[in-house]
Amino acid sequence: MASEFILSETGAGVLSITLNRPEVLNSITAAMSAELLATLNRAADDDQVRAVLLTGAGRGFCAGQDLAEATPAADKPRQDFAAHVRKVYNPLVRSIRRMPKPVVAAVNGVAAGAGASLAFACDFIFASSQASFIQAFAKIGLVPDTGATFFLPRLVGTARATAMMMLGEKVTADQALSYGMIYRVSEPDKLLDESRAFAATLATQATFALGLTKRLINGSAANDLDAQLEAEADLQGTAGRSDDFQEGVAAFLAKRAARFEGK
Ligand code: LHQ
């Protein structure tokens, strides 16, 4: 499928995806979401891709739902947002969380509504010092979606998550870092280089095990201790049979750098 609203390129084992509707701060239409989902799903199956980077073109990361596409009209029946969220947003979150490789968000500017939620679904968040995070839903009479009510309390605790989601106030990159909500703040002109270099380093690591680690992190949100211990044992069995484990130990014993292939 040719992409009109996103750009993508692969290099050094990293698929870089750029949301590309800068004139509306990369807000999401159904068409853009379909392109993003197809690209993410292809990345999941592509052995050449061992890490994914998600960023936005222009001065914004993503302003959430394109409100021009979701405008209520007095003379029309009210829209069914339940169906919209299930179709347009939930598959994106599932695709990022099920991706058996790390996904890095490079938040170059404002991330609002579902745009912020998408960043929260990623494994690492780099943010420009000029970026901000806004749970804009409350301001327009909606509830947080796209996983925000799942990820945000886990990232920052219930008190801060409630304030962010009920007040819709802007959280700066530095605040987000101090909350433990994001991984790193970069200077605006260094964000892409730093986050891409980070993703490229991840892509040289034992990415098969990183994918399994991600599954364990996903599971720990719902499992009790016994279930989680069992899941760890199970996936350690899988990791222990991998080529990357053979290589990792061989490299350690030979005192050389490992050459992982992600399998
Ligand atoms: C936009 C948008 C936008 C269209 C900026 N849409 N044009 C799920 C299910 C169903 C329905 C609804 O939603 C959802 C999930 C959601 O994501 S709900 C939350 C939707 N997003 C928002 O409510 C955020 C709306 N945007 C804003 O509050 C501001 O634009 C922020 C705070 C993000 C940035 O403010 P500024 O830096 O002052 O930029 P701006 O407001 O001037 O925006 C620049 C342009 O982008 C402007 O167009 P213009 O033609 O005037 O230059 C905006 O209209 C356009 N834009 N967000 N979501």
Side-chain angles (χ1 to χ4, degrees):
M1 184 172 82
S3 291
E4 198 179 342
F5 306 115
I6 63 167
L7 306 170
S8 57
E9 56 166 335
T10 307
V14 179
L15 173 71
S16 299
I17 303 174
T18 305
L19 306 174
N20 192 30
R21 302 178 71 230
E23 64 287 355
V24 284
L25 305 180
N26 305 312
S27 56
I28 300 172
T29 57
M32 183 206 245
S33 160
E35 291 181 4
L36 179 57
L37 182 64
T39 305
L40 288 168
N41 287 343
R42 273 200 305 276
D45 294 337
D46 185 345
D47 291 342
Q48 301 305 306
V49 173
R50 291 173 59 191
V52 174
L53 184 79
L54 179 63
T55 192
R59 73 176 177 90
F61 175 71
C62 175
Q65 167 68 38
D66 183 321
L67 293 174
E69 203 179 65
T71 312
D75 58 337
K76 289 196 187 136
R78 294 193 176 171
Q79 292 157 288
D80 182 358
F81 284 162
H84 188 75
V85 168
R86 288 190 184 105
K87 180 163 180 251
V88 173
Y89 291 96
N90 291 356
L92 294 176
V93 177
R94 292 199 179 97
S95 181
I96 292 171
R97 292 313 311 158
R98 287 179 186 161
M99 177 90 62
K101 38 199 120 183
V103 182
V104 180
V107 179
N108 50 302
V110 65
S117 308
L118 277 184
F120 300 150
C122 295
D123 300 295
F124 295 90
I125 303 177
F126 278 61
S128 152
S129 56
Q130 288 176 1
S132 57
F133 298 84
I134 307 174
Q135 286 292 288
F137 310 92
K139 300 275 189 197
I140 54 169
L142 291 178
V143 300
D145 62 19
T146 316
T149 60
F150 183 90
F151 297 116
L152 206 47
R154 286 171 172 81
L155 285 169
V156 302
T158 308
R160 278 185 172 137
T162 303
M164 281 183 71
M165 292 191 285
M166 288 202 178
L167 304 178
E169 285 176 353
K170 179 162 109 175
V171 169
T172 65
D174 285 337
Q175 280 174 314
L177 187 67
S178 74
Y179 292 177
M181 204 171 98
I182 64 174
Y183 180 65
R184 193 169 292 173
V185 177
S186 295
E187 289 308 313
D189 59 344
K190 297 202 174 115
L191 173 73
L192 261 192
D193 284 350
E194 288 179 1
S195 56
R196 204 174 266 146
F198 179 84
T201 301
L202 280 174
T204 65
Q205 302 302 300
T207 39
F208 181 71
L210 299 187
L212 300 180
T213 302
K214 186 162 171 174
R215 261 165 65 186
L216 288 169
I217 291 169
N218 287 342
S220 83
N223 284 342
D224 64 16
L225 177 61
D226 282 336
Q228 194 66 11
L229 288 173
E230 191 42 46
E232 287 174 358
D234 188 29
L235 294 192
Q236 199 65 291
T238 307
R241 290 189 290 274
S242 69
D243 291 355
D244 280 353
F245 172 64
Q246 301 288 318
E247 167 62 8
V249 175
F252 174 78
L253 294 176
K255 299 189 188 303
R256 61 168 173 80
R259 291 180 293 268
F260 294 116
E261 292 184 6
K263 56 186 187 174

